[in-house]
Amino acid sequence: VQYVGIIVTLLGLMYLLQQWPSRPQSFMLFLGIAMLVNSVGYLFEITATSLEGALIAVKISYVGKVYIAPLAMFFVLNYCGIPVSKAIVGLLTVVHTAVLVVVMNCEYHELFYTDIRFERDGFFPHLESGYGVIYFAYIALIFCYAIVMLGVCLYRYRRTEQEERDKIAYLSVIVLLPVLGLVLYLSGITRGYDATAVSYVWSGIILFVSIIRHDFFDT
């Protein structure tokens, strides 16, 4: 799954780099880069053989993962015709960069992870931990982004023509899949496997195929 995700994302980035520069294209390009870094980091995590290796992999993953949700929201808002000010983009960039800094030093405090350990049970050896206050705040922020994106998609869907509605429906699925993956992971059903990893792959496949076949989003 991780190899497929990396290949799909690379192909999508190659395609996007050939398009005329625009704000939607910029958001999508950075989103693709964030997804690529996240996929590579998680590949390292699921192949790690020690606590130290898994922890380094998690940090690599978060270099991309921490920016995926806000970049996706910026793109959705921009596509649906809702202006996104540079001040909001800058503020949320600072907030998520602060979260990244906390993750990069997570072994020295319990703000993000608590009781970090290397677990060999489950589908594969992986990092297990408790969660700190900033982790829960970060997850709450992710769900807030999802609510905003789905709300905007619904609003646009009800006020546009049928041809455009099909694109909005695709966009809603792309947004919803990672949220479902996160819910499955937090529920413990996946036994340590971060289901957002495979959900990002499916979202990426749907997005990039739609871009190439249907000139999705006019990118």
Side-chain angles (χ1 to χ4, degrees):
V1 168
Q2 293 310 110
Y3 285 126
V4 170
I6 291 168
I7 292 170
V8 168
T9 308
L10 281 172
L11 291 175
L13 286 172
M14 290 170 61
Y15 178 82
L16 287 170
L17 286 169
Q18 299 174 26
Q19 307 309 304
W20 185 261
S22 65
R23 203 172 195 207
Q25 188 248 22
S26 297
F27 286 141
M28 190 179 290
L29 185 63
F30 284 118
L31 177 59
I33 293 171
M35 291 173 64
L36 177 63
V37 174
N38 176 65
S39 294
V40 171
Y42 198 61
L43 175 63
F44 290 157
E45 181 181 351
I46 64 179
T47 55
T49 58
S50 66
L51 173 61
E52 293 76 14
L55 192 57
I56 291 172
V58 166
K59 292 178 180 181
I60 294 173
S61 177
Y62 265 92
V63 170
K65 185 176 185 177
V66 77
Y67 296 109
I68 291 176
L71 285 168
M73 185 179 69
F74 295 152
F75 177 78
V76 170
L77 292 176
N78 191 279
Y79 175 73
C80 291
I82 298 176
V84 182
S85 69
K86 291 182 179 180
I88 295 297
V89 173
L91 175 62
L92 292 181
T93 300
V94 169
V95 169
H96 284 266
T97 300
V99 173
L100 178 60
V101 171
V102 171
V103 173
M104 288 298 176
N105 298 278
C106 62
E107 65 267 41
Y108 303 112
H109 55 73
E110 295 189 343
L111 294 173
F112 202 84
Y113 291 133
T114 63
D115 187 29
I116 302 173
R117 59 194 181 279
F118 189 65
E119 181 62 62
R120 297 188 178 276
D121 293 330
F123 291 128
F124 54 85
H126 58 279
L127 206 64
E128 285 279 357
S129 68
Y131 302 117
V133 61
I134 292 183
Y135 179 88
F136 287 113
Y138 169 71
I139 294 299
L141 193 57
I142 299 302
F143 279 110
C144 286
Y145 291 155
I147 292 171
V148 169
M149 287 187 283
L150 291 174
V152 167
C153 286
L154 178 61
Y155 177 84
R156 179 69 181 269
Y157 183 87
R158 296 176 63 181
R159 287 164 176 78
T160 191
E161 299 177 356
Q162 183 59 46
E163 183 179 353
E164 189 71 12
R165 285 186 174 185
D166 293 339
K167 293 183 179 182
I168 296 296
Y170 274 111
L171 185 57
S172 299
V173 173
I174 291 168
V175 168
L176 189 59
L177 282 175
V179 178
L180 294 176
L182 179 59
V183 170
L184 288 174
Y185 172 64
L186 293 176
S187 70
I189 294 175
T190 57
R191 297 175 60 197
Y193 177 72
D194 188 350
T196 60
V198 70
S199 67
Y200 284 139
V201 174
W202 279 109
S203 290
I205 290 172
I206 294 171
L207 178 61
F208 295 138
V209 168
S210 299
I211 287 171
I212 295 170
R213 292 189 60 187
H214 306 295
D215 195 25
F216 208 24
F217 308 130
D218 297 323
T219 52

